[in-house]
Amino acid sequence: MEDGGGAAGDGYPRYDVERYLNVRSAYGAAFGPSGERLAFLMDTTGTAQVWSVAGPNRWPEQHTFFDEQVRFLSWSPERPELVFGMDAGGNERAQLHLLDPDRGRITNLTRKPDAKHRWGGW
């Protein structure tokens, strides 16, 4: 909470620590095959999820709504689809999923939750 007093009346505002702990970020950006669409991970909800923006001055759209954190994403160089990886509870056993952002369809590509999967690329 801002009190305006600062330390010993120095004139600087003071803020609660929650203000600094609640910083959100976007990262891991990748362009789609046409170069117009940009997908990225954003943790606005508290857990990193897949978002994309369809061009300049457009509003971003959230594509995944999992309780688990999405760890990475990779656009196909030829088709409007991307692969993303997610594990369960930080167990590092990443499962790979295919996302069709236009239809909102997500397909689990690995379906072996006890195995660790690594994405090698397209």
Side-chain angles (χ1 to χ4, degrees):
M1 178 171 282
E2 186 175 346
D3 72 6
D10 61 10
Y12 294 106
R14 296 174 68 180
Y15 303 99
D16 288 336
V17 71
E18 286 82 17
R19 177 183 186 121
Y20 302 101
L21 295 175
N22 199 20
V23 174
R24 301 296 181 210
S25 61
Y27 55 94
F31 281 103
S34 69
E36 286 291 317
R37 196 171 204 167
L38 180 73
F40 53 94
L41 300 176
M42 188 161 59
D43 63 0
T44 296
T45 62
T47 304
Q49 299 296 310
V50 177
W51 293 67
S52 73
V53 62
N57 302 316
R58 302 286 300 269
W59 192 256
E61 177 182 357
Q62 185 174 354
H63 297 286
T64 59
F65 299 86
F66 296 106
D67 292 333
E68 300 293 344
Q69 176 178 342
V70 176
R71 301 290 181 172
F72 75 90
L73 60 83
S74 177
W75 273 106
S76 164
E78 298 177 358
R79 293 179 302 278
E81 61 189 14
L82 56 91
V83 166
F84 67 90
M86 181 175 57
D87 62 17
N91 68 4
E92 298 184 12
R93 290 185 175 99
Q95 302 299 297
L96 305 178
H97 305 269
L98 181 69
L99 168 65
D100 178 337
D102 295 329
R103 292 185 178 92
R105 185 175 27 217
I106 296 173
T107 305
N108 186 333
L109 298 174
T110 50
R111 295 188 185 141
K112 293 188 180 188
D114 293 333
K116 293 183 179 183
H117 301 90
R118 300 286 180 241
W119 178 245
W122 291 95

